[in-house]
Amino acid sequence: YYSTSSSQTHFVEHVSLFIFGDSLFDPGNNNYINTTPEFQANFWPYGISYFDPPTGRFSDGRLIPDFIAEYAGLPLIPTYLDPSNNEFVYGANFASGGAGALVETHAGFVVDLKTQLEYFGDLEKQLRQDLGDTKTDKLISEAVYLFSCGGNDYLSPVGNNDSVLYPYTHEQYKLKELEEELEGFMYSLFDLNTEVSHRMKNPSKYGNETVHVVVVVLLEAFPAVEARGE
C-alpha cells in the first residue's frame, strides 16, 4: 500500500507482487549475472511482439506475471537485479531463467531459488529502512507471492547427460527400499530426454500439425535444451 518518491512516502491503493522462479517468470535478471547466452533472452527474436529492445524475457512478449500485474492495476514488476531499478514498493521480480528449487540445478549459471529468497530478505531490510517497520510489515503481509519453479530440476540432469537423479544417488533416494517397506508404494523411471526429442521430431503422432508449435512451446520453457540443439 505504499510508494516512495525520493524521501517522501505516501499511500496508494495497491497490493505488492513478489515473483520467484525460472524462465517462465524471469523478466531479465539473467542479464545482470555472469552466465552464458543459453541462459539469457536479451536478443532478437525474444520480445519481438511487445518489447523493443528485448528485455530478457524468454518469450516473444509479456510473461504471466506481467499480465497478472496489469489485471491488478500494477505497473510491470521491476527486475530486482537491474541496477536502474530502486523502487520496489509495487513488488519485485527475482526469477532467473534456468533456476530450480535445488541449488545444484544449473549451479553457477543462474540465481537459484534459495538465493532469490535471500534477495527478498535483503529487499525487506531496505524497505524497513525506507518505510519503517509498521508499513513494511503491512506491505509484506498483504503482498501476493508468485512462484514457478521445479521444472529445471528434472530437465537439467537430462540436458547435461547425467543421471536423472543427479546429483543424488539411488541409495539416497532409496526408491527400492521404499517400495519394499511401504505397502502400495510405486515408482517409475522416465527417460525424459528421449520422449521430448521424439515428440519434437514426430509432432503429428501427438496431435500437432506442425513442428513449430511443439518447438516454440518447449524451447520457451526450457532454454537450455534449445542451446544444446536437443
Side-chain angles (χ1 to χ4, degrees), residues 8-53:
Q8 300 298 317
T9 303
H10 58 279
F11 291 92
V12 292
E13 291 298 324
H14 76 270
V15 172
S16 301
L17 178 61
F18 294 100
I19 304 161
F20 307 83
D22 49 29
S23 62
L24 295 180
F25 286 0
D26 183 1
N29 279 306
N30 282 8
N31 298 346
Y32 307 100
I33 64 175
N34 184 21
T35 188
T36 59
E38 69 180 275
F39 294 102
Q40 296 176 320
N42 55 350
F43 48 87
W44 189 91
Y46 291 114
I48 191 171
S49 68
Y50 194 84
F51 296 102
D52 185 20

Side-chain angles (χ1 to χ4, degrees), residues 5 8 28 31 51 72 75 86 88 90 100 105-106 121 133 145 148 150 166 168 178 181 184 191 207 212 218:
S5 178
Q8 300 298 317
N31 298 346
F51 296 102
N86 53 25
F88 297 103
Y90 289 100
T105 298
H106 296 139
D133 289 338
Y145 298 84
S148 171
Y166 175 84
Y168 305 101
L178 288 173
E181 294 174 5
D191 188 347
H212 304 288
L218 286 173

